[in-house]
Amino acid sequence: MARNIAVEYRAGGLTEFFRLPVGGMKQAQTEGRPELDRAALAEALRAYHRSLGTLDANVEEGLTRLAHPASRVIVTGQQAGALTGPAYSVHKGADAALLARRLDTEDAPVVAVYWVASQDHDAAEVASTSLLDFSEQLHRLTLDVPEGVPVGRVPWREEWTAQALALLDAFDAPSEHMAAVRARIERAMEAGGSYADVFARLIHGLLSPAGLIVLDPLHPALARLMVPTLARELDDPLASSAAIEDAAARLSAQGFTPQLRRPAGATNLFLEEDDGQRRLLRLDGQTFSTERREYTRDELLTLLSADPSRLTPAAGLRPVVQDALLPTLAFVVGPGEIAYGAQLRGVYELHGLGQPLLWPRLSVTWLEPNVARLLRRLDATAAQVQADPEGVLGRALARERGAEAVTSERLAQIDAQLRAVMDDIAALDPTLVGAADRTRTRVTARVGRLQTQAVRALARQENDRSGQLSRLKAHLLPNGTPQEREMNFLTYLLKHGETPLELLLALTPGWQGEIEIP
């Protein structure tokens, strides 16, 4: 089995792949970006928020602090999912705000920024979301977002608003909480704009009071500030791909599976062409091309000058563009982004930048009261249920019935007895040592499989009677996916009001665990 890059990084390893270790915050704080024009950055963000309709007192305060010559940024970001997408999209933003709040000083302000991935064109990853109501009905919202078009270019449609409101109409939740969330959603959608704009307004509404500023890289004022980085990439457009492949080879040699691969001729740039589709640029000699047509470097530079938002970074360059624009102190990331980061140190160096500290994001599994009570009765954690829901319920029922035959202790006893018998047999005839050991292993494994089958059958039988297994899965494994990666955060506001948001914003940065909603 391949080693896990994120796990190794969190444990303090892979220091040759990351400029700063996971605990390197103090070193990161000593570094600065005096060359950045923070006033221009703040003014570009002000123009964006003005067009978004979110230039409120919270944003103005944050932009004033960002314009300070010694300011730093805690940045995070996510694709623009439907109704904010999976819960971790909100959790990441909260963590950035919490970390910025902890590190902020008057002499060196620290501002939290949420990078809305409006340039992304993978509709399948942003078009759907799941919400669970009080009747434990899982509602699935799926919008027909066009494939291949950056979501920041996709106009918001009235029928999508109707779909979202129809879901709320069918959602079983207290009327007072429903009204508040519905108002949030209607405000974000009625203001129009793009698919990404609606996402940005929802994130702003939730987390702006905590100090978070949203950023859309497709906004003209912000895209203009990214031109130098993108032009520099065009100077040697395969160098970053080579750096990524070099890191991939070194990771592979140590037993890891690289997250990024760059095939021959692939750059780290996308071009939004005249038909609105975003396509990867390839390079053969001096000629750039997509599957649609060819371009010279001069043509791309002209296009970049005329409309810089049409030339956008691929995953292997996006963090570098982000951190060239921002005075980044730390980048709040999930496991996949950590794996990406292991291959990007050399890409940062190509652009004269030091890779910032990667801060593993906080992680929350929300326990509603009925699920918390059930977990206590089962003497189990949410993580254990997510790993093996049938096994957790079945073993708990077996304990209640005193069925020792399916316990791990009983299996260990059987294994010990078999070991003693096989050792005696091997002592009589040493040529049987291998066969005896294989027999013990096979028998123990077979008994273990029978135990697993028995407890899972017990869980299914109980589920037919009480629905406990279905309840656990609906809350903790919606659609077979761990809660944080599937369930929409608005689920909890719809059913419990502002309490979950208040609990989230009371956590310490980087917190990991389960939170019981009172």
mmCIF file of all heavy atoms in Angstrom, residues 450-483:
data_model
loop_
_atom_site.group_PDB
_atom_site.id
_atom_site.type_symbol
_atom_site.label_atom_id
_atom_site.label_comp_id
_atom_site.label_asym_id
_atom_site.label_seq_id
_atom_site.Cartn_x
_atom_site.Cartn_y
_atom_site.Cartn_z
ATOM 1 N N LEU A 450 -16.021 -15.124 9.545
ATOM 2 C CA LEU A 450 -17.329 -15.573 10.018
ATOM 3 C C LEU A 450 -17.870 -14.639 11.103
ATOM 4 O O LEU A 450 -19.073 -14.344 11.139
ATOM 5 C CB LEU A 450 -17.239 -17.006 10.544
ATOM 6 C CG LEU A 450 -17.019 -18.096 9.489
ATOM 7 C CD1 LEU A 450 -16.728 -19.433 10.164
ATOM 8 C CD2 LEU A 450 -18.246 -18.216 8.595
ATOM 9 N N GLN A 451 -16.971 -14.182 11.983
ATOM 10 C CA GLN A 451 -17.395 -13.218 13.001
ATOM 11 C C GLN A 451 -17.927 -11.939 12.342
ATOM 12 O O GLN A 451 -18.975 -11.418 12.741
ATOM 13 C CB GLN A 451 -16.213 -12.865 13.915
ATOM 14 C CG GLN A 451 -15.819 -13.938 14.907
ATOM 15 C CD GLN A 451 -14.686 -13.449 15.802
ATOM 16 O OE1 GLN A 451 -13.807 -12.710 15.348
ATOM 17 N NE2 GLN A 451 -14.707 -13.845 17.054
ATOM 18 N N THR A 452 -17.202 -11.446 11.348
ATOM 19 C CA THR A 452 -17.615 -10.221 10.650
ATOM 20 C C THR A 452 -18.970 -10.413 9.985
ATOM 21 O O THR A 452 -19.853 -9.548 10.067
ATOM 22 C CB THR A 452 -16.556 -9.829 9.605
ATOM 23 O OG1 THR A 452 -15.320 -9.553 10.277
ATOM 24 C CG2 THR A 452 -16.988 -8.599 8.822
ATOM 25 N N GLN A 453 -19.148 -11.544 9.316
ATOM 26 C CA GLN A 453 -20.427 -11.823 8.664
ATOM 27 C C GLN A 453 -21.559 -11.881 9.681
ATOM 28 O O GLN A 453 -22.664 -11.378 9.439
ATOM 29 C CB GLN A 453 -20.337 -13.134 7.886
ATOM 30 C CG GLN A 453 -19.424 -13.065 6.672
ATOM 31 C CD GLN A 453 -19.183 -14.434 6.049
ATOM 32 O OE1 GLN A 453 -19.720 -15.456 6.500
ATOM 33 N NE2 GLN A 453 -18.350 -14.475 5.020
ATOM 34 N N ALA A 454 -21.269 -12.470 10.853
ATOM 35 C CA ALA A 454 -22.308 -12.618 11.881
ATOM 36 C C ALA A 454 -22.729 -11.271 12.456
ATOM 37 O O ALA A 454 -23.924 -10.976 12.587
ATOM 38 C CB ALA A 454 -21.814 -13.532 12.998
ATOM 39 N N VAL A 455 -21.742 -10.401 12.781
ATOM 40 C CA VAL A 455 -22.109 -9.120 13.398
ATOM 41 C C VAL A 455 -22.791 -8.211 12.375
ATOM 42 O O VAL A 455 -23.694 -7.438 12.726
ATOM 43 C CB VAL A 455 -20.887 -8.411 14.036
ATOM 44 C CG1 VAL A 455 -20.312 -9.254 15.168
ATOM 45 C CG2 VAL A 455 -19.820 -8.090 13.013
ATOM 46 N N ARG A 456 -22.399 -8.307 11.116
ATOM 47 C CA ARG A 456 -23.050 -7.474 10.107
ATOM 48 C C ARG A 456 -24.478 -7.954 9.846
ATOM 49 O O ARG A 456 -25.381 -7.137 9.618
ATOM 50 C CB ARG A 456 -22.218 -7.469 8.819
ATOM 51 C CG ARG A 456 -20.929 -6.688 8.993
ATOM 52 C CD ARG A 456 -20.125 -6.589 7.723
ATOM 53 N NE ARG A 456 -18.974 -5.711 7.935
ATOM 54 C CZ ARG A 456 -18.038 -5.481 7.037
ATOM 55 N NH1 ARG A 456 -18.112 -6.046 5.849
ATOM 56 N NH2 ARG A 456 -17.033 -4.668 7.322
ATOM 57 N N ALA A 457 -24.680 -9.253 9.887
ATOM 58 C CA ALA A 457 -26.035 -9.773 9.744
ATOM 59 C C ALA A 457 -26.896 -9.308 10.915
ATOM 60 O O ALA A 457 -28.073 -8.941 10.741
ATOM 61 C CB ALA A 457 -26.010 -11.294 9.667
ATOM 62 N N LEU A 458 -26.307 -9.307 12.108
ATOM 63 C CA LEU A 458 -27.027 -8.841 13.302
ATOM 64 C C LEU A 458 -27.401 -7.369 13.148
ATOM 65 O O LEU A 458 -28.521 -6.960 13.492
ATOM 66 C CB LEU A 458 -26.141 -9.045 14.526
ATOM 67 C CG LEU A 458 -26.773 -8.870 15.910
ATOM 68 C CD1 LEU A 458 -27.932 -9.837 16.104
ATOM 69 C CD2 LEU A 458 -25.713 -9.088 16.992
ATOM 70 N N ALA A 459 -26.466 -6.570 12.607
ATOM 71 C CA ALA A 459 -26.738 -5.145 12.399
ATOM 72 C C ALA A 459 -27.876 -4.945 11.397
ATOM 73 O O ALA A 459 -28.750 -4.101 11.591
ATOM 74 C CB ALA A 459 -25.472 -4.441 11.921
ATOM 75 N N ARG A 460 -27.871 -5.728 10.330
ATOM 76 C CA ARG A 460 -28.929 -5.584 9.325
ATOM 77 C C ARG A 460 -30.289 -5.995 9.891
ATOM 78 O O ARG A 460 -31.315 -5.366 9.590
ATOM 79 C CB ARG A 460 -28.579 -6.415 8.094
ATOM 80 C CG ARG A 460 -27.407 -5.827 7.276
ATOM 81 C CD ARG A 460 -27.272 -6.518 5.942
ATOM 82 N NE ARG A 460 -26.871 -7.908 6.075
ATOM 83 C CZ ARG A 460 -25.598 -8.322 6.104
ATOM 84 N NH1 ARG A 460 -24.616 -7.443 6.023
ATOM 85 N NH2 ARG A 460 -25.311 -9.600 6.216
ATOM 86 N N GLN A 461 -30.304 -7.038 10.698
ATOM 87 C CA GLN A 461 -31.558 -7.465 11.316
ATOM 88 C C GLN A 461 -32.110 -6.377 12.235
ATOM 89 O O GLN A 461 -33.312 -6.075 12.214
ATOM 90 C CB GLN A 461 -31.335 -8.755 12.120
ATOM 91 C CG GLN A 461 -31.014 -9.979 11.269
ATOM 92 C CD GLN A 461 -30.501 -11.137 12.111
ATOM 93 O OE1 GLN A 461 -30.589 -11.117 13.340
ATOM 94 N NE2 GLN A 461 -29.941 -12.149 11.453
ATOM 95 N N GLU A 462 -31.223 -5.760 13.019
ATOM 96 C CA GLU A 462 -31.658 -4.682 13.908
ATOM 97 C C GLU A 462 -32.125 -3.473 13.103
ATOM 98 O O GLU A 462 -33.085 -2.802 13.477
ATOM 99 C CB GLU A 462 -30.504 -4.281 14.839
ATOM 100 C CG GLU A 462 -30.783 -3.077 15.735
ATOM 101 C CD GLU A 462 -31.932 -3.313 16.699
ATOM 102 O OE1 GLU A 462 -32.237 -4.491 17.005
ATOM 103 O OE2 GLU A 462 -32.524 -2.316 17.163
ATOM 104 N N ASN A 463 -31.445 -3.226 11.991
ATOM 105 C CA ASN A 463 -31.837 -2.093 11.164
ATOM 106 C C ASN A 463 -33.231 -2.294 10.580
ATOM 107 O O ASN A 463 -34.013 -1.341 10.457
ATOM 108 C CB ASN A 463 -30.825 -1.879 10.032
ATOM 109 C CG ASN A 463 -31.030 -0.555 9.327
ATOM 110 O OD1 ASN A 463 -31.029 0.498 9.956
ATOM 111 N ND2 ASN A 463 -31.237 -0.603 8.022
ATOM 112 N N ASP A 464 -33.562 -3.531 10.231
ATOM 113 C CA ASP A 464 -34.904 -3.809 9.725
ATOM 114 C C ASP A 464 -35.954 -3.497 10.786
ATOM 115 O O ASP A 464 -37.081 -3.094 10.460
ATOM 116 C CB ASP A 464 -35.010 -5.287 9.306
ATOM 117 C CG ASP A 464 -34.207 -5.598 8.063
ATOM 118 O OD1 ASP A 464 -33.866 -4.652 7.328
ATOM 119 O OD2 ASP A 464 -33.895 -6.784 7.834
ATOM 120 N N ARG A 465 -35.565 -3.658 12.050
ATOM 121 C CA ARG A 465 -36.519 -3.438 13.135
ATOM 122 C C ARG A 465 -36.560 -1.980 13.580
ATOM 123 O O ARG A 465 -37.637 -1.406 13.757
ATOM 124 C CB ARG A 465 -36.133 -4.311 14.348
ATOM 125 C CG ARG A 465 -37.133 -4.249 15.504
ATOM 126 C CD ARG A 465 -36.628 -5.032 16.698
ATOM 127 N NE ARG A 465 -35.478 -4.386 17.305
ATOM 128 C CZ ARG A 465 -35.566 -3.353 18.161
ATOM 129 N NH1 ARG A 465 -36.747 -2.845 18.458
ATOM 130 N NH2 ARG A 465 -34.478 -2.841 18.681
ATOM 131 N N SER A 466 -35.382 -1.334 13.704
ATOM 132 C CA SER A 466 -35.339 0.004 14.318
ATOM 133 C C SER A 466 -34.762 1.089 13.424
ATOM 134 O O SER A 466 -34.881 2.278 13.755
ATOM 135 C CB SER A 466 -34.496 -0.059 15.606
ATOM 136 O OG SER A 466 -33.139 -0.363 15.284
ATOM 137 N N GLY A 467 -34.120 0.727 12.333
ATOM 138 C CA GLY A 467 -33.526 1.728 11.449
ATOM 139 C C GLY A 467 -32.272 2.378 11.982
ATOM 140 O O GLY A 467 -31.835 3.403 11.457
ATOM 141 N N GLN A 468 -31.643 1.795 13.003
ATOM 142 C CA GLN A 468 -30.461 2.430 13.606
ATOM 143 C C GLN A 468 -29.300 2.540 12.624
ATOM 144 O O GLN A 468 -28.611 3.562 12.567
ATOM 145 C CB GLN A 468 -30.011 1.634 14.839
ATOM 146 C CG GLN A 468 -30.947 1.756 16.018
ATOM 147 C CD GLN A 468 -30.421 1.028 17.243
ATOM 148 O OE1 GLN A 468 -29.272 0.617 17.293
ATOM 149 N NE2 GLN A 468 -31.274 0.870 18.241
ATOM 150 N N LEU A 469 -29.068 1.497 11.848
ATOM 151 C CA LEU A 469 -27.959 1.527 10.904
ATOM 152 C C LEU A 469 -28.201 2.579 9.830
ATOM 153 O O LEU A 469 -27.292 3.332 9.461
ATOM 154 C CB LEU A 469 -27.771 0.141 10.270
ATOM 155 C CG LEU A 469 -26.599 -0.026 9.310
ATOM 156 C CD1 LEU A 469 -25.283 0.248 10.016
ATOM 157 C CD2 LEU A 469 -26.601 -1.444 8.729
ATOM 158 N N SER A 470 -29.415 2.651 9.330
ATOM 159 C CA SER A 470 -29.740 3.659 8.320
ATOM 160 C C SER A 470 -29.567 5.069 8.875
ATOM 161 O O SER A 470 -29.105 5.976 8.174
ATOM 162 C CB SER A 470 -31.183 3.477 7.829
ATOM 163 O OG SER A 470 -31.323 2.247 7.154
ATOM 164 N N ARG A 471 -29.924 5.246 10.147
ATOM 165 C CA ARG A 471 -29.776 6.564 10.765
ATOM 166 C C ARG A 471 -28.299 6.954 10.848
ATOM 167 O O ARG A 471 -27.917 8.077 10.502
ATOM 168 C CB ARG A 471 -30.389 6.566 12.165
ATOM 169 C CG ARG A 471 -30.176 7.882 12.931
ATOM 170 C CD ARG A 471 -30.918 7.924 14.249
ATOM 171 N NE ARG A 471 -32.341 7.836 14.021
ATOM 172 C CZ ARG A 471 -33.103 6.799 14.399
ATOM 173 N NH1 ARG A 471 -32.557 5.766 15.044
ATOM 174 N NH2 ARG A 471 -34.391 6.789 14.160
ATOM 175 N N LEU A 472 -27.480 6.034 11.309
ATOM 176 C CA LEU A 472 -26.054 6.317 11.418
ATOM 177 C C LEU A 472 -25.450 6.664 10.059
ATOM 178 O O LEU A 472 -24.680 7.614 9.927
ATOM 179 C CB LEU A 472 -25.320 5.112 12.024
ATOM 180 C CG LEU A 472 -25.537 4.855 13.512
ATOM 181 C CD1 LEU A 472 -24.935 3.514 13.909
ATOM 182 C CD2 LEU A 472 -24.909 5.974 14.351
ATOM 183 N N LYS A 473 -25.818 5.892 9.055
ATOM 184 C CA LYS A 473 -25.270 6.141 7.718
ATOM 185 C C LYS A 473 -25.765 7.472 7.155
ATOM 186 O O LYS A 473 -24.996 8.217 6.520
ATOM 187 C CB LYS A 473 -25.639 4.999 6.770
ATOM 188 C CG LYS A 473 -24.886 3.703 7.026
ATOM 189 C CD LYS A 473 -25.279 2.656 5.991
ATOM 190 C CE LYS A 473 -24.467 1.390 6.128
ATOM 191 N NZ LYS A 473 -24.840 0.370 5.117
ATOM 192 N N ALA A 474 -27.032 7.781 7.360
ATOM 193 C CA ALA A 474 -27.569 9.031 6.821
ATOM 194 C C ALA A 474 -26.848 10.237 7.396
ATOM 195 O O ALA A 474 -26.571 11.209 6.689
ATOM 196 C CB ALA A 474 -29.068 9.120 7.113
ATOM 197 N N HIS A 475 -26.526 10.193 8.688
ATOM 198 C CA HIS A 475 -25.880 11.323 9.348
ATOM 199 C C HIS A 475 -24.367 11.354 9.133
ATOM 200 O O HIS A 475 -23.793 12.436 8.958
ATOM 201 C CB HIS A 475 -26.157 11.278 10.850
ATOM 202 C CG HIS A 475 -27.528 11.734 11.230
ATOM 203 N ND1 HIS A 475 -27.795 13.022 11.624
ATOM 204 C CD2 HIS A 475 -28.707 11.072 11.270
ATOM 205 C CE1 HIS A 475 -29.090 13.140 11.896
ATOM 206 N NE2 HIS A 475 -29.669 11.966 11.693
ATOM 207 N N LEU A 476 -23.740 10.202 9.187
ATOM 208 C CA LEU A 476 -22.279 10.151 9.211
ATOM 209 C C LEU A 476 -21.648 9.703 7.898
ATOM 210 O O LEU A 476 -20.480 9.993 7.643
ATOM 211 C CB LEU A 476 -21.810 9.230 10.344
ATOM 212 C CG LEU A 476 -22.323 9.604 11.740
ATOM 213 C CD1 LEU A 476 -21.881 8.575 12.766
ATOM 214 C CD2 LEU A 476 -21.841 11.002 12.136
ATOM 215 N N LEU A 477 -22.430 8.998 7.066
ATOM 216 C CA LEU A 477 -21.946 8.526 5.768
ATOM 217 C C LEU A 477 -22.980 8.801 4.679
ATOM 218 O O LEU A 477 -23.413 7.882 3.974
ATOM 219 C CB LEU A 477 -21.633 7.029 5.825
ATOM 220 C CG LEU A 477 -20.288 6.595 6.403
ATOM 221 C CD1 LEU A 477 -20.271 5.085 6.596
ATOM 222 C CD2 LEU A 477 -19.136 7.025 5.495
ATOM 223 N N PRO A 478 -23.396 10.035 4.513
ATOM 224 C CA PRO A 478 -24.408 10.322 3.480
ATOM 225 C C PRO A 478 -23.893 9.946 2.094
ATOM 226 O O PRO A 478 -22.781 10.300 1.717
ATOM 227 C CB PRO A 478 -24.624 11.834 3.611
ATOM 228 C CG PRO A 478 -23.378 12.343 4.270
ATOM 229 C CD PRO A 478 -22.931 11.254 5.186
ATOM 230 N N ASN A 479 -24.709 9.191 1.387
ATOM 231 C CA ASN A 479 -24.326 8.701 0.051
ATOM 232 C C ASN A 479 -23.016 7.922 0.080
ATOM 233 O O ASN A 479 -22.271 7.877 -0.902
ATOM 234 C CB ASN A 479 -24.221 9.858 -0.954
ATOM 235 C CG ASN A 479 -25.555 10.526 -1.195
ATOM 236 O OD1 ASN A 479 -26.575 9.860 -1.306
ATOM 237 N ND2 ASN A 479 -25.562 11.850 -1.279
ATOM 238 N N GLY A 480 -22.727 7.304 1.237
ATOM 239 C CA GLY A 480 -21.536 6.475 1.364
ATOM 240 C C GLY A 480 -20.240 7.253 1.525
ATOM 241 O O GLY A 480 -19.151 6.681 1.453
ATOM 242 N N THR A 481 -20.334 8.568 1.780
ATOM 243 C CA THR A 481 -19.160 9.436 1.890
ATOM 244 C C THR A 481 -19.103 10.031 3.297
ATOM 245 O O THR A 481 -20.139 10.416 3.846
ATOM 246 C CB THR A 481 -19.249 10.573 0.857
ATOM 247 O OG1 THR A 481 -19.343 10.002 -0.447
ATOM 248 C CG2 THR A 481 -18.028 11.478 0.919
ATOM 249 N N PRO A 482 -17.915 10.109 3.911
ATOM 250 C CA PRO A 482 -17.829 10.734 5.243
ATOM 251 C C PRO A 482 -18.494 12.102 5.256
ATOM 252 O O PRO A 482 -18.360 12.893 4.313
ATOM 253 C CB PRO A 482 -16.315 10.824 5.479
ATOM 254 C CG PRO A 482 -15.754 9.664 4.727
ATOM 255 C CD PRO A 482 -16.615 9.563 3.494
ATOM 256 N N GLN A 483 -19.199 12.362 6.339
ATOM 257 C CA GLN A 483 -20.081 13.527 6.456
ATOM 258 C C GLN A 483 -19.472 14.820 5.949
ATOM 259 O O GLN A 483 -20.073 15.552 5.152
ATOM 260 C CB GLN A 483 -20.472 13.693 7.925
ATOM 261 C CG GLN A 483 -21.378 14.845 8.236
ATOM 262 C CD GLN A 483 -21.361 15.194 9.715
ATOM 263 O OE1 GLN A 483 -20.636 16.067 10.151
ATOM 264 N NE2 GLN A 483 -22.165 14.478 10.495
#
